């Protein structure tokens, strides 16, 4: 049996509100949690195979040029070394998210320092590492563009005006209040806890690859295209992924290198990236230079918004950080212009890092809105509420749902915004308060799942969807348990196997909504089957604790299943509701900072977020995602920045010792509220994405609080002490 839905119209039935099991939306624990905390969950690099060899990638040491050859003979004579490999199938770059085809390949052309150009395979990791360190590369340098800010760099404008309406120049001229400022954000790294790794082995023409990937449906085709083999001969396994944040959306160099070496040597081969290699040859978020123009009338209502964003990228890569993604729909303004500019550089490939686009674009916009609030004299919350549009102004579409005002009010009340003490001090610390809006585009992707109702009344959920720490195992089990009236101990979820029904994968905050909807649809079909056996309509059926109830008659579910399992594959795909309506999630951040009046050090003292993301499927995992996003925002505001040497583009801080992510001491008590919301246009569950919303604008609230504390406006993130000290007031 199959159940398929194309989202061409809203589902207003609120079916999940009518179920009786009572586990959806609760704080159900992760079913795989005990495996993870006891170290028995097998991650990509832990699935060691008999006779496995180890490979270590060798990096280019020039920013541009050619690899003319390698001194393989000397290394292959070293103890334990099996093979030195290089060639045109090695990945130059990782694949972008949903690429569905091979990324740029070939080790002959060098485009950035750190590019993987060869692989040394040995009997032990230590021998492979020794060989990789000893391998001499014959390279011919060529002219490079290592610095995006250098004079005379070529700037591309893919669309001269990405979107335009009205007359922004006239709006700025006629406005009662304006902001015309430039903001910069540095590059960022995903810095997932688990480094990228892969173990490959072949059985004839059949490749099995255990790798750290987020989107297996696409990754299978990327591997197959890279190796020039049939996708039917590629089997990917990723049951546990130790974080991704966008860096594992597409395949990375380790996967193809491991597969090539395993084929060549006739043995399983493991390739794991060092932390430095993760920084150098996986993905970075591009740095941005953003110019905002805001025009407002005497009441603080926006009449114009201009947003120009410049990012960098390697030659031949089509992805560009979608910095202006939220600008068209977040606030009013009948006169608009948005522009994107790309500078081609010889640096690590730029790609998706958590909440690509809004993470950096909304941060700059919300700092600019704070500047407008200061100029107009309006409370920052009131300014934003006055500028909430009734329809998406950049495209004149209705919103599927819109809860920004509710999030602003809820957040202000929870934080105590109205009662904040302006100009407060705590010893040598100057206290300030800041806030910002949050917004993130919402979408679903085509997704399939199989649900089996077994004769003993237990349930099996199967899909190639991955759990990258977001709670997928729990959420899919909760959906099935709620729909079928089965308790948690009777539910099993299998994920991360490309032989299972193909899901949208983890990324873009669409995983739970997409994969979850396919599970929902399969369960709905199973409910209909059970109802038909009772002679009733599905809507009149109650399933709870393994019992079916209709017309005050209770029947054990096992009596209705029969001797053979009931199996349904559910599938959902986007339709008209995604094209014809602006779908988005919204929220608001409020925070308190202390700025040391002597040193300029900034300490976040407390922070709150209120979020509207449709139906919340698991209160615990959703809250965890928001806490993680807010922590990302702390890093963006205060500590995180990739630093390239402007002479050759190499990463100076390519490890966690020098790339400063927030640690325990940087993260105070964070609190999260969820706004009650149902969005029938999003999917039949009326849920929306939550994973990335928590980072979108979070950093701006902190920057705005710094200004409130000391009157220093940081427009070049992060707000390190060197940018604060010159403006410290004389206390």
């Amino acid at each position: 049996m199959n159940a398929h839905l194309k989202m061409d119209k809203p589902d207003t039935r609120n079916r999940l509100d009518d179920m009786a099991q009572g586990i959806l939306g609760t704080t159900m624990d992760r079913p795989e949690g005990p495996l993870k905390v006891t170290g028995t969950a097998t991650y990509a690099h832990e699935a060691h195979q008999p006779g496995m060899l180890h490979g270590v990638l060798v990096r280019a040491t020039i920013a541009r040029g050619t690899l003319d050859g390698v001194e393989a003979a000397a290394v292959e004579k070293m103890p334990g070394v099996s093979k030195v490999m290089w060639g045109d199938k090695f990945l130059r770059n990782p694949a972008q998210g949903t690429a569905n085809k091979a990324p740029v390949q070939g080790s002959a052309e060098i485009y950035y320092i750190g590019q993987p150009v060869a692989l040394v395979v040995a009997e032990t990791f230590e021998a492979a590492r020794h060989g990789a360190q000893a391998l001499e590369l014959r390279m011919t340098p060529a002219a490079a563009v290592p610095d995006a800010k250098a004079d005379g760099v070529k700037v591309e404008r893919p669309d001269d005006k990405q979107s335009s309406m009205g007359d922004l120049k006239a709006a700025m001229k006629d406005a009662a209040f304006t902001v015309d400022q430039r903001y910069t954000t540095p590059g960022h790294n995903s810095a997932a806890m688990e480094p990228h790794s892969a173990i490959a082995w072949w059985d004839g023409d059949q490749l099995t690859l255990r790798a750290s990937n987020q989107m297996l449906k696409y990754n299978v085709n990327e591997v197959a295209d890279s190796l020039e083999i049939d996708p039917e001969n590629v089997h990917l396994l990723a049951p546990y992924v130790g974080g991704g944040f966008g860096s594992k959306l597409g395949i990375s160099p380790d996967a193809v290198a491991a597969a090539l070496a395993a084929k060549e040597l006739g043995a399983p081969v493991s390739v794991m990236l060092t932390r430095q290699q993760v920084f150098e040859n996986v993905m970075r978020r591009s740095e941005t230079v953003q110019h905002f123009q805001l025009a407002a009338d005497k009441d603080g209502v926006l009449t114009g918004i201009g947003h120009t964003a410049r990012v960098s990228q390697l030659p031949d890569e089509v992805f560009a950080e979608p910095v202006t993604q939220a600008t068209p729909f977040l606030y009013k303004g009948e006169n608009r212009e948005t522009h994107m500019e790309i500078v081609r550089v010889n640096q690590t490939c730029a790609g998706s890092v958590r909440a690509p686009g809004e993470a950096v674009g909304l941060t700059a916009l919300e700092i600019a809105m704070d500047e407008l609030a200061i100029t107009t004299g309006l409370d920052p919350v009131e300014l934003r509420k006055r500028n909430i549009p009734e329809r998406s102004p950049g495209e004149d579409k209705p919103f599927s749902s819109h809860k920004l005002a509710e999030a602003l009010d809820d957040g202000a009340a929870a934080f105590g915004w109205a009662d904040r003490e302006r100009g407060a001090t705590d010893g040598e610390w100057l206290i300030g308060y800041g806030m910002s809006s949050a917004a993130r585009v919402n979408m679903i992707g085509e997704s399939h799942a199989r649900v089996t109702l077994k004769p003993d009344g237990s349930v099996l959920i199967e899909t190639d969807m991955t759990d990258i720490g977001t709670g997928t195992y729990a959420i899919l089990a909760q959906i099935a348990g709620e729909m079928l009236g089965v308790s948690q101990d009777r539910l099993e979820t299998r994920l991360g196997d490309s032989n299972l029904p193909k899901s949208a994968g983890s990324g873009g905050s669409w995983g739970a909504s997409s994969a979850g909807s396919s599970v929902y649809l399969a369960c709905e079909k199973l409910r209909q089957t059970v109802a038909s056996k009772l002679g009733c309509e599905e809507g009149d059926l109650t399933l709870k604790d393994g019992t079916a109830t209709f017309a005050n008659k209770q029947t054990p579910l096992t009596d209705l299943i029969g001797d053979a399992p009931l199996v349904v594959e559910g599938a959902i795909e986007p339709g008209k509701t995604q094209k014809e309506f602006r779908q988005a999630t919204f929220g608001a951040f409020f925070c308190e900072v202390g700025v040391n009046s002597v040193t300029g050090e900034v300490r976040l003292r407390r922070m709150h977020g209120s979020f509207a993301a449709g139906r919340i499927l698991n209160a615990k995992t959703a809250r965890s995602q928001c806490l993680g996003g807010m922590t990302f925002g702390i890093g963006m505001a205060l500590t995180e920045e990739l630093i390239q040497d402007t002479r050759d583009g190499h990463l100076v801080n390519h490890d966690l010792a020098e790339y400063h992510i927030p640690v325990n001491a940087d993260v105070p008590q964070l609190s999260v509220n969820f706004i009650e919301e149902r969005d029938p246009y999003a999917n039949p569950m009326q849920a929306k994405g939550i994973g990335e919303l928590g980072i979108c604008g979070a950093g701006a609230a902190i920057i705005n609080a710094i200004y409130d504390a000391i009157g220093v406006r940081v427009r070049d993130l992060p707000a390190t002490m060197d940018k604060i000290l010159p403006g410290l007031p004389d206390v």
Side-chain angles (χ1 to χ4, degrees), residues 275-327:
R275 183 62 65 183
Q276 291 81 6
Q277 288 172 332
V278 170
F279 271 76
E280 287 184 340
N281 60 50
V282 178
M283 286 291 181
R284 64 178 174 95
R285 192 200 301 278
S286 170
E287 76 291 341
T288 73
V289 179
Q290 301 180 56
H291 178 207
F292 266 103
Q293 293 177 296
L294 303 181
D297 65 17
K298 61 182 179 60
D299 297 318
V301 177
L302 285 164
T303 57
I305 298 180
H307 187 184
T308 297
R310 178 177 295 186
V311 299
S312 68
Q313 181 58 288
L314 277 166
D316 304 326
E317 281 287 342
V318 297
F319 175 88
E321 180 84 21
V323 182
T324 61
Q325 195 158 248
T327 308

Coordinates of all heavy atoms in Angstrom, one line a residue, residues 275-327:
R275 N 41.1 17.5 12.1 CA 40.4 18.7 12.3 C 40.9 19.9 11.4 O 40.1 20.6 10.9 CB 40.5 19.2 13.8 CG 39.7 20.4 14.2 CD 38.2 20.2 14.0 NE 37.7 19.2 14.9 CZ 36.4 18.8 14.9 NH1 35.5 19.3 14.0 NH2 36.0 17.9 15.7
Q276 N 42.2 19.9 11.2 CA 42.7 21.0 10.3 C 42.2 20.7 8.9 O 41.9 21.7 8.1 CB 44.2 20.9 10.3 CG 44.8 21.4 11.6 CD 44.8 20.3 12.7 OE1 44.5 19.2 12.5 NE2 45.2 20.7 13.9
Q277 N 42.1 19.5 8.4 CA 41.6 19.2 7.1 C 40.1 19.5 7.0 O 39.6 20.0 5.9 CB 41.8 17.8 6.7 CG 43.3 17.4 6.4 CD 43.6 16.0 6.2 OE1 42.9 15.1 6.8 NE2 44.6 15.6 5.5
V278 N 39.3 19.3 8.0 CA 37.9 19.7 8.0 C 37.8 21.2 7.8 O 37.0 21.6 7.0 CB 37.3 19.3 9.4 CG1 35.9 19.9 9.5 CG2 37.2 17.8 9.5
F279 N 38.6 22.0 8.5 CA 38.6 23.4 8.3 C 39.0 23.8 6.8 O 38.4 24.7 6.2 CB 39.5 24.1 9.3 CG 38.8 24.5 10.6 CD1 38.5 23.5 11.5 CD2 38.4 25.8 10.9 CE1 37.9 23.8 12.7 CE2 37.8 26.1 12.1 CZ 37.5 25.1 13.0
E280 N 40.0 23.1 6.3 CA 40.6 23.5 5.1 C 39.9 23.1 3.8 O 39.9 23.8 2.8 CB 42.1 23.0 5.0 CG 43.0 23.8 5.9 CD 44.4 23.3 5.8 OE1 44.7 22.2 5.2 OE2 45.3 24.1 6.1
N281 N 39.3 21.9 3.8 CA 38.8 21.4 2.6 C 37.4 20.8 2.6 O 37.0 20.0 1.8 CB 39.7 20.4 1.9 CG 40.0 19.1 2.8 OD1 39.1 18.5 3.3 ND2 41.3 18.8 2.9
V282 N 36.6 21.3 3.6 CA 35.2 20.9 3.6 C 34.3 22.1 3.2 O 34.0 22.3 2.0 CB 34.7 20.3 4.9 CG1 33.2 19.9 4.9 CG2 35.5 19.0 5.2
M283 N 33.9 22.9 4.1 CA 33.0 24.0 3.8 C 33.3 25.1 4.8 O 33.6 24.9 5.9 CB 31.5 23.7 3.9 CG 31.0 22.8 2.8 SD 30.9 23.7 1.2 CE 30.1 22.4 0.2
R284 N 33.2 26.3 4.3 CA 33.2 27.5 5.1 C 32.0 28.4 4.8 O 31.5 28.3 3.7 CB 34.5 28.4 4.9 CG 34.6 29.0 3.5 CD 35.8 29.8 3.3 NE 35.9 30.3 1.9 CZ 35.4 31.4 1.5 NH1 34.8 32.3 2.3 NH2 35.6 31.7 0.2
R285 N 31.5 29.1 5.8 CA 30.6 30.1 5.4 C 31.3 31.3 4.9 O 32.3 31.8 5.5 CB 29.7 30.6 6.6 CG 28.5 31.4 6.3 CD 28.0 32.2 7.4 NE 27.5 31.5 8.5 CZ 26.4 30.9 8.7 NH1 25.5 30.9 7.6 NH2 26.0 30.2 9.8
S286 N 30.9 31.9 3.8 CA 31.6 33.0 3.2 C 31.5 34.2 4.2 O 30.6 34.4 4.9 CB 31.0 33.4 1.9 OG 31.5 34.7 1.5
E287 N 32.6 35.0 4.2 CA 32.5 36.3 4.8 C 31.5 37.2 4.0 O 31.3 36.9 2.9 CB 33.9 37.0 4.9 CG 34.4 37.6 3.6 CD 34.8 36.6 2.6 OE1 35.0 35.4 2.9 OE2 34.8 37.0 1.4
T288 N 31.0 38.2 4.7 CA 30.0 39.1 3.9 C 30.4 40.5 4.2 O 30.9 40.9 5.2 CB 28.6 38.9 4.4 OG1 28.4 39.4 5.7 CG2 28.2 37.4 4.4
V289 N 30.1 41.3 3.2 CA 30.1 42.8 3.3 C 28.7 43.2 2.9 O 28.2 43.0 1.8 CB 31.1 43.5 2.4 CG1 31.1 45.0 2.6 CG2 32.5 43.0 2.7
Q290 N 28.0 43.9 3.8 CA 26.5 44.2 3.6 C 26.3 45.7 3.8 O 26.7 46.3 4.8 CB 25.7 43.4 4.5 CG 25.8 41.9 4.4 CD 24.9 41.1 5.4 OE1 23.7 41.3 5.4 NE2 25.5 40.3 6.3
H291 N 25.6 46.2 2.8 CA 25.3 47.6 2.8 C 23.7 47.7 3.0 O 23.0 47.2 2.1 CB 25.7 48.4 1.5 CG 25.3 49.8 1.5 ND1 25.1 50.5 0.3 CD2 25.1 50.7 2.5 CE1 24.8 51.7 0.6 NE2 24.8 51.9 1.9
F292 N 23.3 48.3 4.1 CA 21.9 48.5 4.3 C 21.5 50.0 4.2 O 22.2 50.8 4.7 CB 21.5 48.0 5.7 CG 21.0 46.5 5.7 CD1 21.8 45.5 6.1 CD2 19.7 46.2 5.2 CE1 21.4 44.2 6.1 CE2 19.3 44.9 5.2 CZ 20.1 43.9 5.6
Q293 N 20.4 50.2 3.5 CA 19.7 51.5 3.5 C 18.3 51.3 4.0 O 17.5 50.5 3.4 CB 19.7 52.1 2.1 CG 21.1 52.4 1.6 CD 21.1 53.0 0.2 OE1 20.7 52.3 -0.8 NE2 21.5 54.2 0.0
L294 N 17.9 52.0 5.1 CA 16.6 52.0 5.6 C 16.0 53.4 5.6 O 16.6 54.3 6.0 CB 16.6 51.4 7.0 CG 17.2 50.1 7.3 CD1 17.1 49.7 8.8 CD2 16.5 49.0 6.4
A295 N 14.8 53.5 5.1 CA 14.1 54.8 5.0 C 12.8 54.6 5.8 O 12.0 53.7 5.5 CB 13.8 55.2 3.6
A296 N 12.5 55.5 6.7 CA 11.3 55.5 7.5 C 10.6 56.8 7.5 O 11.2 57.9 7.5 CB 11.6 55.0 8.9
D297 N 9.2 56.8 7.7 CA 8.5 58.0 7.8 C 8.5 58.5 9.3 O 9.2 57.9 10.1 CB 7.1 57.8 7.3 CG 6.2 56.9 8.1 OD1 6.6 56.5 9.3 OD2 5.2 56.4 7.6
K298 N 7.8 59.6 9.6 CA 7.9 60.2 10.9 C 7.4 59.3 12.0 O 7.7 59.5 13.2 CB 7.1 61.5 10.9 CG 5.6 61.3 10.6 CD 4.9 62.6 10.6 CE 3.4 62.5 10.3 NZ 2.7 61.6 11.3
D299 N 6.6 58.2 11.6 CA 6.1 57.3 12.6 C 7.0 56.0 12.7 O 6.6 55.1 13.5 CB 4.7 56.9 12.3 CG 3.7 58.0 12.3 OD1 3.8 58.8 13.2 OD2 2.9 58.1 11.4
G300 N 8.1 56.0 12.0 CA 9.0 54.9 12.1 C 8.5 53.7 11.2 O 9.1 52.6 11.3
V301 N 7.6 53.9 10.3 CA 7.2 52.9 9.3 C 8.1 52.9 8.1 O 8.3 54.0 7.5 CB 5.7 53.1 8.9 CG1 5.3 52.1 7.9 CG2 4.8 53.0 10.1
L302 N 8.7 51.8 7.8 CA 9.6 51.7 6.7 C 9.0 52.0 5.4 O 7.9 51.5 5.0 CB 10.3 50.3 6.6 CG 11.3 50.1 7.7 CD1 11.6 48.6 7.8 CD2 12.6 50.8 7.4
T303 N 9.6 52.9 4.6 CA 9.2 53.2 3.2 C 10.1 52.6 2.2 O 9.8 52.5 1.0 CB 9.0 54.7 3.0 OG1 10.3 55.3 3.3 CG2 7.9 55.3 3.9
G304 N 11.3 52.2 2.7 CA 12.3 51.7 1.7 C 13.4 50.8 2.4 O 13.7 51.1 3.6
I305 N 13.8 49.8 1.7 CA 14.9 48.9 2.2 C 15.8 48.6 1.1 O 15.4 48.1 0.0 CB 14.3 47.6 2.8 CG1 13.4 47.8 4.0 CG2 15.5 46.7 3.2 CD1 12.8 46.6 4.6
G306 N 17.1 48.9 1.3 CA 18.1 48.5 0.3 C 19.1 47.5 1.0 O 19.5 47.8 2.1
H307 N 19.5 46.5 0.3 CA 20.4 45.5 0.9 C 21.3 45.0 -0.2 O 20.8 44.3 -1.2 CB 19.6 44.3 1.5 CG 20.4 43.3 2.3 ND1 19.9 42.2 2.8 CD2 21.7 43.3 2.6 CE1 20.8 41.5 3.4 NE2 22.0 42.2 3.3
T308 N 22.5 45.3 -0.2 CA 23.6 44.8 -1.1 C 24.5 43.9 -0.3 O 25.1 44.4 0.7 CB 24.3 45.9 -1.8 OG1 23.4 46.7 -2.6 CG2 25.4 45.4 -2.7
A309 N 24.8 42.7 -0.8 CA 25.6 41.8 0.0 C 26.7 41.3 -1.0 O 26.4 40.8 -2.1 CB 24.8 40.6 0.5
R310 N 28.0 41.3 -0.5 CA 29.1 40.7 -1.2 C 29.6 39.5 -0.5 O 29.9 39.6 0.7 CB 30.2 41.8 -1.4 CG 31.4 41.2 -2.2 CD 32.5 42.3 -2.4 NE 32.0 43.4 -3.3 CZ 32.7 44.4 -3.7 NH1 34.0 44.5 -3.4 NH2 32.2 45.3 -4.5
V311 N 29.8 38.4 -1.2 CA 30.4 37.2 -0.7 C 31.5 36.7 -1.6 O 31.7 37.3 -2.6 CB 29.3 36.1 -0.6 CG1 28.1 36.6 0.3 CG2 28.7 35.7 -1.9
S312 N 32.2 35.7 -1.1 CA 33.3 35.1 -1.9 C 33.0 33.6 -2.2 O 32.3 33.0 -1.5 CB 34.6 35.3 -1.2 OG 34.7 34.5 -0.1
Q313 N 33.7 33.2 -3.3 CA 33.5 31.8 -3.6 C 34.7 31.4 -4.6 O 35.3 32.3 -5.3 CB 32.2 31.5 -4.3 CG 31.9 30.1 -4.7 CD 31.9 29.1 -3.6 OE1 33.0 28.8 -3.1 NE2 30.8 28.6 -3.2
L314 N 35.0 30.1 -4.6 CA 35.9 29.6 -5.6 C 35.4 29.8 -7.0 O 34.2 29.8 -7.3 CB 36.2 28.1 -5.4 CG 37.1 27.7 -4.3 CD1 37.0 26.2 -4.0 CD2 38.6 28.0 -4.7
P315 N 36.3 29.8 -8.0 CA 35.9 29.7 -9.4 C 35.2 28.4 -9.6 O 35.4 27.4 -8.9 CB 37.2 29.7 -10.2 CG 38.2 30.4 -9.3 CD 37.8 30.0 -7.9
D316 N 34.2 28.3 -10.5 CA 33.5 27.1 -10.9 C 32.4 26.7 -10.0 O 31.7 25.8 -10.2 CB 34.4 25.9 -11.2 CG 35.5 26.3 -12.2 OD1 35.2 27.0 -13.1 OD2 36.6 25.7 -12.1
E317 N 32.3 27.3 -8.8 CA 31.2 27.0 -7.8 C 30.1 27.9 -8.0 O 30.2 29.1 -8.0 CB 31.8 27.0 -6.4 CG 32.6 25.8 -6.0 CD 31.8 24.6 -5.8 OE1 30.5 24.7 -5.6 OE2 32.3 23.5 -5.8
V318 N 28.8 27.3 -8.1 CA 27.7 28.2 -8.4 C 27.0 28.7 -7.1 O 26.3 29.6 -7.1 CB 26.6 27.4 -9.2 CG1 27.2 27.1 -10.6 CG2 26.2 26.1 -8.5
F319 N 27.3 28.0 -5.9 CA 26.6 28.4 -4.7 C 27.2 29.7 -4.2 O 28.4 30.0 -4.3 CB 26.9 27.3 -3.6 CG 26.4 27.8 -2.2 CD1 25.1 27.5 -1.9 CD2 27.2 28.4 -1.3 CE1 24.6 27.9 -0.6 CE2 26.7 28.8 -0.1 CZ 25.4 28.5 0.3
A320 N 26.2 30.6 -3.8 CA 26.6 31.8 -3.1 C 25.7 32.0 -1.9 O 24.5 31.8 -2.0 CB 26.4 33.0 -4.1
E321 N 26.3 32.4 -0.8 CA 25.6 32.5 0.4 C 24.4 33.4 0.2 O 24.5 34.6 -0.2 CB 26.5 33.2 1.5 CG 25.9 33.4 2.8 CD 25.9 32.2 3.7 OE1 26.7 31.3 3.5 OE2 25.0 32.1 4.7
P322 N 23.2 33.0 0.4 CA 21.9 33.7 0.1 C 21.6 34.8 1.2 O 20.6 34.7 1.8 CB 20.9 32.7 0.0 CG 21.3 31.6 0.9 CD 22.8 31.6 0.9
V323 N 22.5 35.8 1.3 CA 22.5 36.7 2.4 C 21.2 37.5 2.4 O 20.7 37.8 3.5 CB 23.7 37.7 2.2 CG1 23.7 38.6 3.4 CG2 25.0 36.9 2.1
T324 N 20.6 37.8 1.3 CA 19.4 38.7 1.3 C 18.1 37.9 1.4 O 17.0 38.4 1.2 CB 19.4 39.5 0.0 OG1 19.3 38.6 -1.1 CG2 20.6 40.3 -0.2
Q325 N 18.1 36.7 1.8 CA 17.0 35.8 1.8 C 15.8 36.2 2.6 O 14.6 36.1 2.2 CB 17.4 34.4 2.3 CG 16.4 33.3 1.9 CD 17.1 31.9 1.9 OE1 17.3 31.3 0.9 NE2 17.5 31.4 3.1
A326 N 16.0 36.8 3.8 CA 14.9 37.3 4.6 C 14.5 38.7 4.3 O 13.4 39.1 4.7 CB 15.3 37.2 6.1
T327 N 15.3 39.5 3.6 CA 15.0 40.9 3.4 C 13.7 41.1 2.7 O 13.0 42.1 3.0 CB 16.2 41.6 2.7 OG1 17.4 41.3 3.4 CG2 16.0 43.1 2.6

